[in-house]
Amino acid sequence: MDHRKIPSFTVRPGALRAGGSRALLRVAVGFALVLAVTGGGPSGSSVSLAQESSTSPGGAVIVPTPGGSTYTLMQMNLCLSGFARCYSKVAYPAGVQEAVARIRDARPDAVTLNETCRGDVAQIARRTGYHLRFSTVTAAGESLPCVRPGGRGLFGDAVLTKAAIESTDSHDFEAQAGIEWRRWLCVTTRVRVDVCTAHLATRSSTTAAENDAQCAELAALLDRRAATRTVIFGGDTNRRRACAPKRAWTRPDGSADQAPGLQYVYGIGALRSPAAAVLPARHTDHDVLLVRARLTLPSHSPYRSFPRPLPELLSPR
């Protein structure tokens, strides 16, 4: 596990008033970067259901040098089911609109989403132009339709990517606690980066063993996939100790105002020098975790970076 100090920032709440969010959110990852897949990015979004299995505070901000490549992941827990206590904050459809705005402003290469509904994430993918894979989470052995309002599809987790998706894998964890069965979801993209997500069981005095077991299984899964590919993970692990393989770097949302330290991004392989930022979220009970890392792919990779000046709009924590 990488314990070196890294830049971590939280956006000043007053900076998100009307007219300032676009510039601010671009800066919040510590750089202003435009990433494009050859041809100007994805022309549309694809949706598939992956229920079945297939095969520290402070520090200087690092701005990439011209010609360098980066990879950015945004992790969000949206609390969209309609059942959880946090749903009152969602003020539906405001929570969905906030997610769309975050993605449009930051333009990450990938977005990992927990506590979502298939219809809502399909809308998010369509409005942002990302490719989508969705994994249904069951409750008491049955798929759970989202409510208040209904008609939004089933409850689950999702991955959005700029690059086209070549394959998808999703399975239940072996260890489970309570009626909600937790799953992992991974996709392989055309830029040779695997993107994974999971939402582990809530950790309590009665479910700590199941959370620990899911954590160990997740670490083993990521380690296996990283044997041949670069892997990045974003998810809500419901714990303050990482579930990453020893060779991975880890970045938590430790500076978040809401539920700090439970969301993580891990990277393994051709991802270096990660920098993290936390963005406040109004319409869910978790803030947004944004992580940028240098991507050391071969020179023929379609990614190219275009650094811009970095305004003094961030307040380090």
Side-chain angles (χ1 to χ4, degrees), residues 12 30 63 108 136 170 172 183 187 194 197 235 240 246 258 261 306 313:
R12 292 196 303 267
V63 179
T136 300
S170 185
D172 290 333
R183 298 174 62 80
V187 304
D194 281 17
T197 191
R240 289 179 170 80
K246 291 182 179 179
Q258 302 184 94
F306 305 91
L313 291 176

Side-chain angles (χ1 to χ4, degrees), residues 167-178:
S167 63
T168 306
D169 296 293
S170 185
H171 296 272
D172 290 333
F173 287 103
E174 292 294 329
Q176 297 290 340

Side-chain angles (χ1 to χ4, degrees), residues 24-32 61 72 106 275-277 279 290-292 314:
L24 185 58
L25 290 172
R26 285 176 178 166
V27 172
V29 278
F31 68 108
V61 174
T72 305
L279 308 179
L290 204 56
V291 176
R292 179 266 295 164
L314 297 179

Side-chain angles (χ1 to χ4, degrees), residues 45-48 118 121-122 125 130-134 158-160 165:
S45 62
S46 60
V47 181
S48 75
R118 192 171 80 164
V121 292
Y130 281 65
H131 302 277
L132 165 65
R133 293 295 185 268
F134 181 85
V159 170
L160 306 180
I165 296 171

Side-chain angles (χ1 to χ4, degrees), residues 40-317:
S43 58
S45 62
S46 60
V47 181
S48 75
L49 181 63
Q51 172 69 13
E52 296 77 21
S53 59
S54 53
T55 16
S56 105
V61 174
I62 301 171
V63 179
T65 57
S69 298
T70 65
Y71 197 93
T72 305
L73 184 140
M74 175 180 284
Q75 158 62 23
M76 292 189 284
N77 181 320
L78 298 182
C79 187
L80 287 174
S81 72
F83 293 97
R85 286 179 296 178
C86 53
Y87 190 64
S88 60
K89 293 195 64 178
V90 174
Y92 192 86
V96 173
Q97 295 167 347
E98 183 176 41
V100 170
R102 287 284 186 263
I103 296 169
R104 284 177 172 172
D105 286 333
R107 299 304 299 174
D109 295 277
V111 186
T112 48
L113 298 155
N114 303 133
E115 296 194 38
T116 67
C117 306
R118 192 171 80 164
D120 292 330
V121 292
Q123 178 188 162
I124 292 170
R126 183 171 59 251
R127 292 172 62 183
T128 57
Y130 281 65
H131 302 277
L132 165 65
R133 293 295 185 268
F134 181 85
S135 179
T136 300
V137 172
T138 61
E142 300 292 336
S143 299
L144 183 69
C146 294
V147 297
R148 298 192 293 163
R152 295 185 290 128
L154 300 176
F155 178 69
D157 302 312
V159 170
L160 306 180
T161 64
K162 277 187 178 181
I165 296 171
E166 294 185 332
S167 63
T168 306
D169 296 293
S170 185
H171 296 272
D172 290 333
F173 287 103
E174 292 294 329
Q176 297 290 340
I179 64 171
E180 181 181 337
W181 278 52
R182 309 298 177 129
R183 298 174 62 80
W184 57 263
L185 166 65
C186 291
V187 304
T188 297
T189 68
R190 287 187 182 173
V191 295
R192 290 176 292 169
V193 176
D194 281 17
V195 184
C196 298
T197 191
H199 185 198
L200 304 191
T202 301
R203 187 176 177 82
S204 69
S205 59
T206 59
T207 60
E210 289 81 3
N211 180 277
D212 288 344
Q214 292 172 6
C215 179
E217 187 177 344
L218 176 61
L221 163 72
L222 299 177
D223 200 37
R224 288 195 304 271
R225 297 185 76 93
T228 56
R229 295 183 291 270
T230 291
V231 177
I232 191 165
F233 165 88
D236 181 351
T237 62
N238 273 315
R239 56 187 289 130
R240 289 179 170 80
R241 296 186 63 182
C243 300
K246 291 182 179 179
R247 57 188 170 131
W249 51 257
T250 70
R251 298 296 179 260
D253 64 344
S255 65
D257 290 328
Q258 302 184 94
L262 301 184
Q263 296 183 109
Y264 272 88
V265 172
Y266 313 144
I268 319 171
L271 292 165
R272 303 286 189 271
S273 305
V278 174
L279 308 179
R282 180 179 179 184
H283 294 290
T284 182
D285 63 338
H286 291 72
D287 291 326
V288 178
L289 176 59
L290 204 56
V291 176
R292 179 266 295 164
R294 177 170 292 280
L295 182 61
T296 57
L297 290 176
S299 58
H300 60 268
S301 168
Y303 280 89
R304 295 292 183 268
S305 65
F306 305 91
R308 292 182 178 179
L310 182 67
E312 296 295 330
L313 291 176
L314 297 179
S315 175
R317 290 183 58 163

